[in-house]
Amino acid sequence: MNYFFANLGAHTLLMSLLILLCCVFADKVRRRKSDKIIKYFMPVVITIFILVYGIFIVGPRLLDIRTVLNNNYSTLTGTVESVAPLKNYITIDGISYYKNPSKDCPEQGDKITIRYAEASHFMPEWQPAK
């Protein structure tokens, strides 16, 4: 649970910094201080990145706060298709499930049962399938 909230905090901080950066560039455009064409379009580019980042990364984690606090996870049994090089996520049935990289990790081909949060696919624990 601590890893989930640390991860959520890091992503929220990064998104806040992107919003601040967008405001700085937008202020320069407003004051007509953009000396290069790329600086003129930076607020638009950063805004698109913020929206995509918020929808696909931060939003699902925010939706899963209640799930993590109540320890109300879904269960799935499947075979591990791949493991990330940093061991921070595994793939089962074509879907990536994120985990704490400091905890033990299953190997590719293992049949396991996992508990995961629906929206963000955060996986706090796994065990070999019976």
Side-chain angles (χ1 to χ4, degrees), residues 6-87:
N7 190 286
L8 174 64
H11 285 293
T12 305
L13 178 65
L14 181 59
M15 190 158 174
S16 300
L17 292 175
L18 285 171
I19 291 170
L20 180 67
L21 184 65
C22 184
C23 290
V24 167
F25 278 112
D27 187 53
K28 285 187 179 192
V29 169
R30 185 186 61 81
R31 292 185 292 134
R32 300 180 190 263
K33 300 284 184 179
S34 297
D35 53 349
K36 296 184 178 157
I37 193 76
I38 190 75
K39 289 182 181 177
Y40 184 77
F41 289 106
M42 281 306 283
V44 174
V45 171
I46 294 172
T47 300
I48 291 170
F49 186 74
I50 289 169
L51 288 173
V52 170
Y53 190 71
I55 291 169
F56 292 108
I57 304 293
V58 179
R61 284 170 172 77
L62 290 173
L63 291 173
D64 278 339
I65 290 174
R66 177 180 281 174
T67 301
V68 172
L69 287 176
N70 293 335
N71 203 16
N72 187 19
Y73 298 106
S74 299
T75 305
L76 171 79
T77 300
T79 303
V80 178
E81 294 173 1
S82 66
V83 178
L86 296 176
K87 297 187 178 188

Side-chain angles (χ1 to χ4, degrees), residues 66-113:
R66 177 180 281 174
T67 301
V68 172
L69 287 176
N70 293 335
N71 203 16
N72 187 19
Y73 298 106
S74 299
T75 305
L76 171 79
T77 300
T79 303
V80 178
E81 294 173 1
S82 66
V83 178
L86 296 176
K87 297 187 178 188
N88 61 337
Y89 70 89
I90 62 171
T91 305
I92 300 174
D93 297 330
I95 301 173
S96 297
Y97 296 93
Y98 302 93
K99 59 180 252 5
N100 186 345
S102 65
K103 292 189 175 182
D104 59 334
C105 187
E107 299 295 323
Q108 185 175 354
D110 289 351
K111 188 160 178 70
I112 63 171
T113 300

